[in-house]
Amino acid sequence: MKKLLLLMAMGTAVAAGAQNDLAKTTLYPSTLLLKDPQSKTIFRSGDAAAARSTKTIEDWQRLRRSGIILTSGGIACIAGGIALVAAGDNQANNGYDYYSTDTPGEAKVVVGAMGIAGGILALGGGITMWAIGNNRVKKYTDRMSFDMGNRSAKLAYRF
């Protein structure tokens, strides 16, 4: 428990130090304050639709594959974190000395909790990437279809 409190105090000290450094930095003027109207846009090509249209199906397939890998990694981190927490909990209390300061199980519990937290974040990002990539790949692949019935045939182009 003392190690966890020390870790939290160190995090607070680092965050406070980062805020002090912000006062020393130089802030550059925003591009929105410039007088030239063409330089006020965020996208250099003009609009967001033009920036999205440059993506190909390979980009969306890569996004989907990355999402699958990140989701799998998140599930593995959650499972490993649960196993570490369970193993550390068994080692933390041996039933004889409840007042000992450092037990070998405390480190496993802390690492397991960090693994669970990281796994949840990876799982959320991976599922999002997987869903967006899968949706865009379907839009590219299901554009044209040729359907044949008993006495008819049709060629359909979806956009």
Side-chain angles (χ1 to χ4, degrees), residues 107-136:
K108 287 183 181 178
V109 170
V110 170
V111 171
M114 290 171 50
I116 291 171
I120 289 171
L121 291 175
L123 192 65
I127 289 173
T128 305
M129 290 168 57
W130 190 354
I132 291 171
N134 197 29
N135 186 17
R136 296 293 178 166

Side-chain angles (χ1 to χ4, degrees), residues 68-116:
I68 291 170
I69 291 169
L70 194 59
T71 302
S72 303
I75 291 170
C77 283
I78 290 172
I82 290 171
L84 278 173
V85 167
D89 192 34
N90 286 340
Q91 289 179 350
N93 260 341
N94 56 10
Y96 298 110
D97 189 13
Y98 287 103
Y99 300 107
S100 65
T101 56
D102 293 330
T103 60
E106 286 181 2
K108 287 183 181 178
V109 170
V110 170
V111 171
M114 290 171 50
I116 291 171

